[in-house]
Amino acid sequence: MELVKAVDALWQRGWLPYDLREIVSRSLDESAASLVVDVIALSCSPHHEATVHPRWQRQLDEIGASVWWEGLLLEAWATRHIETRAYANRTAAELLKFLGRLPSLPQILPLPGDVLMSAVRAGLDPKVLNRVRGLLAKAESTAFPEEAEALSAKAQELMNRHALERAMLDADLPAEATSRRMWLDKSYFKEKSQLVHVVAEAFRSRAVAYDGFGFIALVGDEVDLESVELLSTSLLVQATRAMVAIGGPAGKGSEARSRPFRKAFLVAYASRIGERLEAMAAVPVSPDDPIVSDERLLPVLADRKQAVDTLFEQMFTRTRTSRVTVRSAAGWGAGRAAADRADIGGGRSAVTSGQA
């Protein structure tokens, strides 16, 4: 099947399952997005799960890529979606043409069949990850700032403590860096990417925004990148909620509902969050903490930073600084005020203490 060959070729060119589903759903219609998920499932089906990288497998599960049909895919797809075979053929042809135009991306994961489970570094412990997600979800949904702050602070404490413990456990192993892609809504993408950038810096990671596609490439330690995704996602939810709340009572056509206001709001929000995270990193840590006081900690963190910088330079040989113009003083003030109220928690100084 030509579509499977096209998808197989894209794996060789750095694309991942979630990437393909996202770019197709943003560029074509729902039919093409549905079909590409099934093609992805067919492409990956010959490989035993034990030879598929865990992050690759999680993406397959997240997009619902599984072989549910018997026989020919296009016939089964047309029947399932109550469409004619001619419509299925047109959708397939359009999808094939689109996939053939996609450029190459940096290779960030081994292809299915190329990895053994024992060779994969683990990320956040699943129990810690579930607890952090639960705490951040509650912090985002509560109407009481004090409660949200306490919940977020606890989440940050868990992430930071776990990151340090993992760093010490892996102290005798070579420092490794990896990369992830974080897709954002295209609405105000450039402004939202500023927020992800400052969070990435706080976790000793680096970020590059792909404006044309709608994702941010992150480079860092496996545990740190999971923390970047969790905190960035939570802060984006908080920022959007605060921005909408300001514009809600305002009348139609008011400045608070305008694009210049919202752009300025998001840029100011990111700027202020960056200042707060930097201030947290400057707070001295307790010398009585057995992990922080371990003389191996700073060399381990320094080695990891070097690994991150090396991988980043290998992946991105040409980058440029992006600037955002702010045209609403009211939006800027509102964004900074909202960032002051945002819950970013405490205890981050231990994780970032090796940056100096």
PDB file of all heavy atoms in Angstrom, residues 326-339:
ATOM      1  N   VAL A 326       4.678  44.047  21.082  1.00  0.00           N
ATOM      2  CA  VAL A 326       3.568  44.267  22.010  1.00  0.00           C
ATOM      3  C   VAL A 326       2.935  45.613  21.697  1.00  0.00           C
ATOM      4  O   VAL A 326       3.622  46.639  21.667  1.00  0.00           O
ATOM      5  CB  VAL A 326       4.063  44.229  23.470  1.00  0.00           C
ATOM      6  CG1 VAL A 326       2.942  44.620  24.419  1.00  0.00           C
ATOM      7  CG2 VAL A 326       4.596  42.845  23.799  1.00  0.00           C
ATOM      8  N   ARG A 327       1.619  45.624  21.476  1.00  0.00           N
ATOM      9  CA  ARG A 327       0.929  46.853  21.096  1.00  0.00           C
ATOM     10  C   ARG A 327      -0.211  47.207  22.049  1.00  0.00           C
ATOM     11  O   ARG A 327      -1.047  48.043  21.720  1.00  0.00           O
ATOM     12  CB  ARG A 327       0.373  46.719  19.674  1.00  0.00           C
ATOM     13  CG  ARG A 327       1.446  46.642  18.589  1.00  0.00           C
ATOM     14  CD  ARG A 327       0.828  46.721  17.202  1.00  0.00           C
ATOM     15  NE  ARG A 327       1.834  46.842  16.163  1.00  0.00           N
ATOM     16  CZ  ARG A 327       2.418  45.820  15.558  1.00  0.00           C
ATOM     17  NH1 ARG A 327       2.073  44.578  15.901  1.00  0.00           N
ATOM     18  NH2 ARG A 327       3.330  46.004  14.628  1.00  0.00           N
ATOM     19  N   SER A 328      -0.252  46.591  23.206  1.00  0.00           N
ATOM     20  CA  SER A 328      -1.315  46.895  24.169  1.00  0.00           C
ATOM     21  C   SER A 328      -0.723  46.972  25.566  1.00  0.00           C
ATOM     22  O   SER A 328      -0.340  45.956  26.148  1.00  0.00           O
ATOM     23  CB  SER A 328      -2.412  45.821  24.122  1.00  0.00           C
ATOM     24  OG  SER A 328      -3.347  46.016  25.180  1.00  0.00           O
ATOM     25  N   ALA A 329      -0.649  48.197  26.088  1.00  0.00           N
ATOM     26  CA  ALA A 329      -0.131  48.383  27.445  1.00  0.00           C
ATOM     27  C   ALA A 329      -1.051  47.730  28.466  1.00  0.00           C
ATOM     28  O   ALA A 329      -0.600  47.162  29.469  1.00  0.00           O
ATOM     29  CB  ALA A 329       0.018  49.875  27.740  1.00  0.00           C
ATOM     30  N   ALA A 330      -2.355  47.782  28.213  1.00  0.00           N
ATOM     31  CA  ALA A 330      -3.312  47.172  29.137  1.00  0.00           C
ATOM     32  C   ALA A 330      -3.133  45.655  29.170  1.00  0.00           C
ATOM     33  O   ALA A 330      -3.186  45.022  30.233  1.00  0.00           O
ATOM     34  CB  ALA A 330      -4.735  47.531  28.726  1.00  0.00           C
ATOM     35  N   GLY A 331      -2.923  45.070  28.004  1.00  0.00           N
ATOM     36  CA  GLY A 331      -2.706  43.629  27.948  1.00  0.00           C
ATOM     37  C   GLY A 331      -1.426  43.230  28.654  1.00  0.00           C
ATOM     38  O   GLY A 331      -1.372  42.203  29.333  1.00  0.00           O
ATOM     39  N   TRP A 332      -0.377  44.053  28.501  1.00  0.00           N
ATOM     40  CA  TRP A 332       0.887  43.768  29.171  1.00  0.00           C
ATOM     41  C   TRP A 332       0.711  43.790  30.700  1.00  0.00           C
ATOM     42  O   TRP A 332       1.154  42.878  31.398  1.00  0.00           O
ATOM     43  CB  TRP A 332       1.930  44.786  28.749  1.00  0.00           C
ATOM     44  CG  TRP A 332       3.269  44.592  29.410  1.00  0.00           C
ATOM     45  CD1 TRP A 332       3.705  45.180  30.553  1.00  0.00           C
ATOM     46  CD2 TRP A 332       4.328  43.739  28.970  1.00  0.00           C
ATOM     47  NE1 TRP A 332       4.976  44.766  30.854  1.00  0.00           N
ATOM     48  CE2 TRP A 332       5.392  43.873  29.900  1.00  0.00           C
ATOM     49  CE3 TRP A 332       4.497  42.890  27.878  1.00  0.00           C
ATOM     50  CZ2 TRP A 332       6.586  43.176  29.767  1.00  0.00           C
ATOM     51  CZ3 TRP A 332       5.688  42.194  27.747  1.00  0.00           C
ATOM     52  CH2 TRP A 332       6.713  42.338  28.683  1.00  0.00           C
ATOM     53  N   GLY A 333       0.039  44.810  31.193  1.00  0.00           N
ATOM     54  CA  GLY A 333      -0.179  44.905  32.640  1.00  0.00           C
ATOM     55  C   GLY A 333      -1.022  43.768  33.167  1.00  0.00           C
ATOM     56  O   GLY A 333      -0.740  43.204  34.234  1.00  0.00           O
ATOM     57  N   ALA A 334      -2.062  43.410  32.423  1.00  0.00           N
ATOM     58  CA  ALA A 334      -2.936  42.316  32.858  1.00  0.00           C
ATOM     59  C   ALA A 334      -2.191  40.990  32.850  1.00  0.00           C
ATOM     60  O   ALA A 334      -2.387  40.140  33.726  1.00  0.00           O
ATOM     61  CB  ALA A 334      -4.162  42.240  31.953  1.00  0.00           C
ATOM     62  N   GLY A 335      -1.319  40.788  31.852  1.00  0.00           N
ATOM     63  CA  GLY A 335      -0.569  39.538  31.770  1.00  0.00           C
ATOM     64  C   GLY A 335       0.401  39.383  32.923  1.00  0.00           C
ATOM     65  O   GLY A 335       0.537  38.298  33.504  1.00  0.00           O
ATOM     66  N   ARG A 336       1.098  40.447  33.282  1.00  0.00           N
ATOM     67  CA  ARG A 336       2.033  40.378  34.414  1.00  0.00           C
ATOM     68  C   ARG A 336       1.284  40.143  35.725  1.00  0.00           C
ATOM     69  O   ARG A 336       1.746  39.386  36.591  1.00  0.00           O
ATOM     70  CB  ARG A 336       2.877  41.647  34.492  1.00  0.00           C
ATOM     71  CG  ARG A 336       3.908  41.745  33.376  1.00  0.00           C
ATOM     72  CD  ARG A 336       4.814  42.955  33.573  1.00  0.00           C
ATOM     73  NE  ARG A 336       5.641  42.852  34.766  1.00  0.00           N
ATOM     74  CZ  ARG A 336       6.810  42.225  34.823  1.00  0.00           C
ATOM     75  NH1 ARG A 336       7.284  41.602  33.743  1.00  0.00           N
ATOM     76  NH2 ARG A 336       7.522  42.210  35.928  1.00  0.00           N
ATOM     77  N   ALA A 337       0.126  40.778  35.861  1.00  0.00           N
ATOM     78  CA  ALA A 337      -0.662  40.575  37.084  1.00  0.00           C
ATOM     79  C   ALA A 337      -1.139  39.131  37.186  1.00  0.00           C
ATOM     80  O   ALA A 337      -1.111  38.526  38.260  1.00  0.00           O
ATOM     81  CB  ALA A 337      -1.852  41.534  37.100  1.00  0.00           C
ATOM     82  N   ALA A 338      -1.560  38.567  36.052  1.00  0.00           N
ATOM     83  CA  ALA A 338      -2.017  37.174  36.060  1.00  0.00           C
ATOM     84  C   ALA A 338      -0.865  36.226  36.366  1.00  0.00           C
ATOM     85  O   ALA A 338      -1.045  35.219  37.057  1.00  0.00           O
ATOM     86  CB  ALA A 338      -2.645  36.820  34.710  1.00  0.00           C
ATOM     87  N   ALA A 339       0.326  36.544  35.856  1.00  0.00           N
ATOM     88  CA  ALA A 339       1.488  35.694  36.123  1.00  0.00           C
ATOM     89  C   ALA A 339       1.869  35.735  37.597  1.00  0.00           C
ATOM     90  O   ALA A 339       2.337  34.737  38.160  1.00  0.00           O
ATOM     91  CB  ALA A 339       2.673  36.122  35.263  1.00  0.00           C
TER      92      ALA A 339
END
